Amino acid sequence: MFGGIGLYTKFYILFQIIGLTLIYFVYYWIVQYRGGFSFTEPKIIFNWHPLLMTIAFVYLFANAILHYRTFPNNTKKKLKKQHSLIHGCILILIVIAGFAAFVSHQYSVPKIPHLYSLHSWLGIITILMFLSQFISGLWCFLYPGVAAQHRETLAPYHVFFGISIFTLAIATAVLGFCEKIIFSLSNKYKLFPAEGVLGNILGIFCVFYCVLVVYMITKPEFKRRPKLEYETLLK
């Protein structure tokens, strides 16, 4: 076990509580105020978008980022496969979430334009960066033909861009919640309705969650220190 495991465990428990609570609040908001979920009604099909994006780009992405620190006794080879598997699940969810948003806009009456808001622009940038990170990670860290020294050189950049993409995903999520709440409530938003307050809480939860994850991933004491025999086997 690496140093500071007791403190990391406490942070990790807090991290999981906040992440799962955030998902529950998004689900509650959609069911309570936005009409629930549907596979046929264009207006309600959209509701899959915020829920799946929250699960994928907020909760699962954060878990993928912290995966190496959470399971330090696993071999690096095993951790790489698990890390890539989580990213594969994220990719599937964001494809479904994006399709839900597209269908909702395309078949709404009147039709809603695509990709006109800052939220959607940042969303596209985030997805493209995620895909680039995912593909380059598969090639660099799982493809057996890449030399170990190249992996060591690229690893810090992989970590940096992973944190950057996660932070951008959080910013996109906050903008998305704000946009949806304001568009749905219009002038009622300034009157502090329950849905508006809940939307603000969702944004705050996202920001706090982001700060917590970045702290946990950058704190030196929480860094994974693999056993020597693991590294010997990998080399």
Side-chain angles (χ1 to χ4, degrees):
M1 293 291 184
F2 55 79
I5 181 63
L7 183 60
Y8 180 85
T9 301
K10 294 176 182 178
F11 275 107
Y12 184 75
I13 293 172
L14 178 62
F15 157 79
Q16 290 293 346
I17 291 174
I18 295 175
L20 293 173
T21 301
L22 179 60
I23 293 174
Y24 170 76
F25 276 162
V26 173
Y27 173 81
Y28 175 82
W29 164 53
I30 292 171
V31 171
Q32 184 71 18
Y33 297 104
R34 295 291 104 214
F37 302 92
S38 172
F39 293 104
T40 57
E41 178 62 35
K43 185 177 180 180
I44 302 180
I45 286 176
F46 177 84
N47 291 340
W48 290 104
H49 180 81
L51 179 64
L52 294 181
M53 281 299 193
T54 300
I55 295 173
F57 258 150
V58 178
Y59 181 71
L60 288 181
F61 200 5
N63 276 272
I65 290 173
L66 293 172
H67 194 70
Y68 286 86
R69 285 160 173 72
T70 304
F71 303 99
N73 287 332
N74 286 354
T75 63
K76 203 167 186 180
K77 184 177 181 180
K78 185 176 182 180
L79 290 171
K80 287 178 182 179
K81 291 180 178 179
Q82 294 169 347
H83 184 74
S84 61
L85 179 61
I86 297 173
H87 278 73
C89 294
I90 294 171
L91 180 59
I92 293 172
L93 291 178
I94 63 176
V95 168
I96 298 173
F99 180 74
F102 175 82
V103 170
S104 176
H105 286 204
Q106 186 70 22
Y107 295 100
S108 292
V109 180
K111 181 179 176 180
I112 302 174
H114 298 290
L115 305 177
Y116 66 90
S117 66
L118 178 59
H119 165 71
S120 61
W121 288 19
L122 288 180
I124 293 298
I125 294 173
T126 305
I127 292 173
L128 292 177
M129 291 179 64
F130 172 81
L131 290 175
S132 299
Q133 177 88 337
F134 183 45
I135 295 170
S136 62
L138 289 177
W139 175 79
C140 180
F141 299 104
L142 288 180
Y143 182 65
V146 179
Q149 61 266 28
H150 297 316
R151 292 172 179 169
E152 292 178 2
T153 301
L154 293 173
Y157 297 99
H158 186 75
V159 173
F160 170 77
F161 281 106
I163 297 173
S164 300
I165 296 167
F166 175 70
T167 304
L168 184 57
I170 291 292
T172 305
V174 172
L175 278 176
F177 290 136
C178 184
E179 176 184 298
K180 182 63 176 178
I181 292 293
I182 291 176
F183 283 2
S184 299
L185 296 178
S186 189
N187 291 332
K188 295 180 181 178
Y189 180 61
K190 62 185 178 182
L191 301 177
F192 290 95
E195 183 179 0
V197 173
L198 178 59
N200 292 348
I201 292 174
L202 288 175
I204 292 174
F205 259 74
C206 285
V207 172
F208 184 77
Y209 195 61
C210 180
V211 172
L212 179 62
V213 171
V214 172
Y215 174 77
M216 292 172 69
I217 200 67
T218 56
K219 188 173 176 60
E221 292 83 354
F222 293 163
K223 185 177 181 180
R224 177 182 181 273
R225 295 184 176 88
K227 293 182 178 180
L228 181 61
E229 59 268 26
Y230 292 170
E231 296 304 310
T232 303
L233 286 173
L234 288 172
K235 292 180 181 178

